[in-house]
Amino acid sequence: MAIKITTLAERPEFAPSLFEMDHTWQEFVLQDPIADLFYPFATTTHAEHVLVAEDEADPGRLVARGSMTPFLLEGSELPDDGWDGVIRSGWLARERGKRPDGISALEISVRRDLQGTGLSSVMLAAMRDHAARLGYSELVAPVRPNRKHLEPHTPMSEYAFRTRADGLPHDAWLRVHVRAGGKIVKVAPRSMVVAGTLAEWRAWTGLPFDRSGPLEVPGALTPVHCDVEHDHAVYVEPNVWVTHPLS
């Protein structure tokens, strides 16, 4: 498949269908309120930071997208609140008229029927190239390991640094990042926080949420904490910080 990758700013005709592409994200993951500081503005304010990919044999049909956000790196440490942190930092920097000094990947989404074809690696390479063209010396990424949901009770601090016999990461998505030149730096222990009533969680997952305690939810990287008496459940997702030097 020959893929053409451009920015949304260059191809604004993709804006109306940007989030209609078939994907595999679980519904509860889409409920993080911090996302509202980026995604409603992705097609306008952040059009230069969104990459769109189309099949050259079927022009006009989106096959993948990649989103990035500029942010203000305050201090030398990447934030413990990972994905939420860079979105919030980027929003505050813009509102306060401060110049961002970092850029972070947010997501790479590949059309469901094309997953496993290597498109995610192609999009990551394009994201690195674009960040360099924008003048950044490093692209960072709060990575969501794609096999961690199979081990929800394993601490991310253990999972993230697990390697195969060849020294590459055990997790396939982390492996893609390392092969592309990335370095695993640390865990972001509270990268995403999703809270909801039990009725909301039932709607998002189809599960009963009828007992208190840690509950396993398909697709969740860690157990969801359910409190029946107080009618709420909270999911705190850890991610893995990976840095990609661009020079």
Side-chain angles (χ1 to χ4, degrees):
M1 180 186 295
I3 299 297
K4 182 179 181 181
I5 301 175
T6 55
T7 67
L8 187 61
E10 296 171 296
R11 298 296 301 279
E13 64 270 26
F14 278 116
S17 61
L18 185 64
F19 300 113
E20 294 177 2
M21 185 183 72
D22 190 24
H23 61 80
T24 57
W25 293 108
Q26 294 82 11
E27 182 62 29
F28 73 89
V29 177
L30 306 179
Q31 307 305 318
D32 181 353
I34 295 296
D36 289 340
L37 299 181
F38 178 83
Y39 286 95
F41 310 96
T43 60
T44 52
T45 303
H46 290 292
E48 184 63 30
H49 304 115
V50 175
L51 299 180
V52 291
E54 62 182 322
D55 180 354
E56 290 191 313
D58 187 13
R61 188 181 184 197
L62 195 65
V63 299
R65 70 170 184 263
S67 301
M68 297 179 283
T69 185
F71 73 104
L72 192 62
L73 182 58
E74 298 176 314
S76 58
E77 285 287 322
L78 290 164
D80 287 340
D81 53 353
W83 196 86
D84 283 354
V86 292
I87 291 178
R88 180 176 178 272
S89 172
W91 173 270
L92 289 174
R94 187 168 64 253
E95 290 298 300
R96 293 169 176 170
K98 294 184 177 180
R99 183 179 178 84
D101 56 0
I103 190 164
S104 176
L106 292 179
E107 62 147 342
I108 291 175
S109 293
V110 175
R111 208 173 67 201
R112 185 188 297 266
D113 62 315
L114 294 173
Q115 294 195 351
T117 62
L119 258 179
S120 59
S121 299
V122 174
M123 291 299 291
L124 177 58
M127 194 174 279
R128 286 169 51 105
D129 290 344
H130 187 57
R133 283 195 299 271
L134 291 174
Y136 293 96
S137 61
E138 180 181 67
L139 173 70
V140 302
V143 176
R144 189 178 199 265
N146 64 354
R147 304 291 284 179
K148 176 64 172 71
H149 67 99
L150 300 176
E151 302 182 38
H153 295 282
T154 301
M156 185 64 91
S157 57
E158 174 187 331
Y159 183 90
F161 294 95
R162 187 188 302 168
T163 58
R164 307 187 310 181
D166 61 4
L168 289 171
H170 162 80
D171 184 82
W173 188 216
L174 286 173
R175 215 160 44 239
V176 168
H177 279 267
V178 170
R179 280 174 169 157
K183 178 183 178 182
I184 296 173
V185 176
K186 61 180 256 186
V187 171
R190 55 182 182 94
S191 193
M192 178 183 290
V193 179
V194 178
T197 65
L198 301 187
E200 288 174 323
W201 275 99
R202 290 171 188 136
W204 297 337
T205 64
L207 299 177
F209 276 85
D210 55 0
R211 64 178 179 84
S212 293
L215 303 179
E216 291 188 21
V217 172
L221 307 193
T222 60
V224 175
H225 297 273
C226 178
D227 190 325
V228 171
E229 181 180 1
H230 296 288
D231 189 26
H232 70 255
V234 180
Y235 172 59
V236 181
E237 177 172 295
N239 288 164
V240 181
W241 274 119
V242 176
T243 59
H244 288 266
L246 303 176
S247 56

